[in-house]
Amino acid sequence: MSNYQDPVTWQKGIDLCELIYRASSVFPQHEIYGLTSQIRRAAVSFPSNIAEGAGRITKGEFIQSIGHARGSLLEVETQLIVAQRLGYLDSKETDALLVVTKEVGKLSNGLIRSLKPTPSK
């Protein structure tokens, strides 16, 4: 891939990362090395894996990197639920962020489909 920043999936992943950083900025100070660090790392990992995969040699390697990115996305979703249950985020904000994660997940599925060879008829 000539430019890893072109896929909408990467761009939306960056948007999600920014939203996660902003949302987690209100987490308690004692979580700086716990949940705050974990959720930010997972959020950064999503677009980072897309970028890394775009730099790989084969489409198969790229697809594998998107799979890793999807795993990070599910980590973000889990950590959002934990943050809400601990009272760090309200349900409205959590729900809004989960809508974004679902959208990014659908985009990553579409990117995988676009990279897989179409079966011959």
Side-chain angles (χ1 to χ4, degrees):
M1 177 171 283
S2 60
N3 185 355
Y4 68 90
Q5 297 177 3
D6 284 344
V8 173
T9 309
W10 180 87
Q11 294 168 10
K12 293 292 185 179
I14 291 291
D15 293 344
L16 174 63
C17 187
E18 180 182 351
L19 291 171
I20 293 298
Y21 263 77
R22 292 184 191 285
S24 63
S25 70
V26 300
F27 289 5
Q29 183 63 33
H30 69 269
E31 286 290 358
I32 194 70
Y33 299 111
L35 189 56
T36 305
S37 176
Q38 279 293 116
I39 197 168
R40 287 177 173 184
R41 202 171 319 124
V44 168
S45 184
F46 181 86
S48 297
N49 276 303
I50 301 292
E52 180 182 350
R56 297 292 180 175
I57 303 299
T58 67
K59 283 184 181 181
E61 290 175 303
F62 191 10
I63 291 168
Q64 184 176 22
S65 291
I66 299 166
H68 293 305
R70 287 171 42 186
S72 295
L73 189 62
L74 295 177
E75 285 184 57
V76 170
E77 288 182 358
T78 299
Q79 293 155 0
L80 286 169
I81 292 165
V82 170
Q84 185 210 349
R85 290 182 71 165
L86 292 173
Y88 303 159
L89 296 173
D90 63 36
S91 60
K92 185 177 178 182
E93 184 173 17
T94 303
D95 290 345
L97 289 166
L98 289 172
V99 165
V100 176
T101 63
K102 298 296 183 206
E103 176 189 359
V104 172
K106 287 177 184 176
L107 288 168
S108 66
N109 291 339
L111 183 55
I112 288 172
R113 277 191 306 275
S114 75
L115 293 168
K116 285 189 174 180
T118 56
S120 21
K121 294 183 177 186

